[in-house]
Amino acid sequence: MGYSRQREMMLSVLRGTSSHPTANEIYDEMRKRDPKISLGTVYRNLALLSEKGTIRRIDSDHDSVHYDGCTHPHYHFICSKCGAVSDLSVTPINLNTAVEEETGGKVAGHTLVFYGECERCIKF
Amino acid sequence: MGYSRQREMMLSVLRGTSSHPTANEIYDEMRKRDPKISLGTVYRNLALLSEKGTIRRIDSDHDSVHYDGCTHPHYHFICSKCGAVSDLSVTPINLNTAVEEETGGKVAGHTLVFYGECERCIKF
DNA sequence: ATATGTGCAAACTGTTTGCACACGA
DNA sequence: TCGTGTGCAAACAGTTTGCACATAT
C-alpha cells in the first residue's frame, strides 16, 4: 500500500472528528477539500484501511456503516432514534478465550454495541 | 397483528433450525413448503416479528442479516471465513446501567458478537 | 517503467414499497 | 364487510467494479 493524497486526506478527516461518519459523510467532507474526489475511491480506501487495521468500521443496524479513526479498544452507544454513535469508556470485557474454549475456534475480536435512546433524543 | 399462514410458517422454519438463516435462506426454505411465497412477504414478516421481539436479528458484517428464532439472551460467534453463526453460552454481561450513567441515555440492550475463524475452517 | 491509485459510470446486492387482489375476523 | 396480509414487480440505497487515465516509487 503506497502513498496517496486521497488516502491521507481521508485519514485526516477521520482523525479530526469524533462523529463516526458514514462513507457518504466522509465523501462530503473530502469533497469540500477536493471536489474531484470520487465515492468509489472513498469506499476503496475505507475497505483498505479497515482491513489493515488503521481505522475501524462500526456496523449499526440503524443505517449504513460508520467509521472510526480511533483504533484503541473501546465500545459504542448508538441511538436508535437519531443514529448518533458515541464512544464509551467502559472497560473492555475479557471473554475471547472463554469463547475459544467453548467453540474450538480462534477468536480474532469482538464487537459490543449498546443501543437505546441518547440523552438528547430523550429531551427532544 | 393477526394470523397468517405465511407468518406461522416462517416462525416454524426459524424455530426448527439453529443455523441462523438469512432472509434469503428463510425464503428458500419456505418456498419448499409453498412455492408461491414471495420475498417481499418474508422481509415484511421478518421486520414485523423482530420489531415485536418474537425473533431476533443478528447483524453480521460478513454478509446480510441473520435471524434467530431463539430470543432468550445469548451471544454469537461468527466465522469471518465461512460466515457461519453459532450460539454461545457465556454469561450475559451487565454493563447497561454503567453505559446509561456514562451517556445519560437510556440503554435498551446491547449486541455482543465475537468473530474469528471457526473450528471447521481452521481444520479446512 | 511499473505498480498502484483514481475518477467516472455502470452494475450489483440486499431490502423496501406501491398496487391490486386474497384472506381472516 | 373491513382491516390486515400477500404476490409481484419495480424502485431504492449502499456498495462494488471495469476501464482508461494519472500518480507514486
Side-chain angles (χ1 to χ4, degrees), chain B residues 40-103:
Chain B
T41 297
V42 171
Y43 275 105
R44 271 187 289 241
N45 283 327
L46 285 172
L48 211 87
L49 291 173
S50 49
E51 187 130 351
K52 200 171 168 281
T54 311
I55 64 176
R56 268 177 64 191
R57 53 175 284 160
I58 308 167
D59 293 284
S60 153
D61 61 343
H62 183 274
D63 52 2
S64 55
V65 181
H66 293 251
Y67 292 88
D68 195 335
C70 168
T71 55
H72 84 81
H74 66 281
Y75 303 131
H76 296 102
F77 174 58
I78 303 184
C79 178
S80 318
K81 219 170 212 176
C82 71
V85 180
S86 49
D87 291 315
L88 294 174
S89 62
V90 295
T91 316
I93 61 172
N94 190 8
L95 286 173
N96 291 8
T97 26
V99 172
E100 292 188 341
E101 277 160 21
E102 186 180 340
T103 60

Side-chain angles (χ1 to χ4, degrees), chain A residues 45-66:
Chain A
N45 283 326
L46 285 172
L48 211 87
L49 291 173
S50 47
E51 187 131 349
K52 201 170 167 282
T54 312
I55 63 174
R56 269 177 62 191
R57 52 175 285 160
I58 309 166
D59 292 282
S60 153
D61 62 342
H62 183 274
D63 51 3
S64 54
V65 182
H66 292 251

Side-chain angles (χ1 to χ4, degrees), chain B residues 13-14 17-26 46 65-69:
Chain B
V13 165
L14 265 170
T17 180
S18 56
S19 71
H20 311 87
T22 62
N24 231 317
E25 288 163 352
I26 294 167
L46 285 172
V65 181
H66 293 251
Y67 292 88
D68 195 335

